Amino acid sequence: MRAAVARTHYVCLDCRVSYKQGFDRRRQRVCPRCARPLFHAGAAFAAPPRRDIAAWRVLEVLLNAGVAFHMGCCDGPGYRPQNLREVRERLTRARRDGMPARKALTDHGLL
């Protein structure tokens, strides 16, 4: 009997699509549309509509900073910026204070 494999989301930012697949740390996932590497976005990820370019830009900043959407014990993935204005404000604050971008983008009480 095979053990169940946890399924999680992988994202192609170029194609603006996500795929839910079994998680395997040893395997690099590639987009079936463009063959570029996929980002591991986490099990709690919910893709924005393809036409919502601003939301995909926010997502691009988050994923490139190493922020993912993993399930938390009780509260889900935690805070994430909702628009480009919030991203800009948080990244400006991070540069000013010498804070890592990942922390600035996910800290609920920062602003």
Side-chain angles (χ1 to χ4, degrees), residues 13-50:
L13 295 170
D14 294 317
C15 298
R16 295 193 308 266
V17 295
S18 73
Y19 303 97
K20 195 164 188 179
Q21 301 176 0
F23 178 72
D24 184 352
R25 183 171 311 210
R26 299 164 295 180
R27 182 175 165 208
Q28 173 61 53
R29 306 291 179 146
V30 294
C31 178
R33 294 174 140 202
C34 69
R36 290 191 174 104
L38 295 173
F39 282 91
H40 178 221
F45 175 73
R50 285 188 77 207

Side-chain angles (χ1 to χ4, degrees), residues 21-97:
Q21 301 176 0
F23 178 72
D24 184 352
R25 183 171 311 210
R26 299 164 295 180
R27 182 175 165 208
Q28 173 61 53
R29 306 291 179 146
V30 294
C31 178
R33 294 174 140 202
C34 69
R36 290 191 174 104
L38 295 173
F39 282 91
H40 178 221
F45 175 73
R50 285 188 77 207
R51 68 188 172 281
D52 190 348
I53 304 229
W56 281 92
R57 286 186 183 148
V58 169
L59 181 60
E60 181 177 7
V61 171
L62 292 171
L63 292 175
N64 280 316
V67 175
F69 298 80
H70 298 294
M71 297 298 290
C73 157
C74 301
D75 57 359
Y79 174 80
R80 303 291 183 267
Q82 299 299 307
N83 56 53
L84 290 170
R85 180 187 55 78
E86 289 181 30
V87 168
R88 280 191 297 273
E89 288 172 355
R90 287 172 172 275
L91 291 178
T92 298
R93 174 101 184 250
R95 282 190 294 275
R96 186 184 69 217
D97 296 348

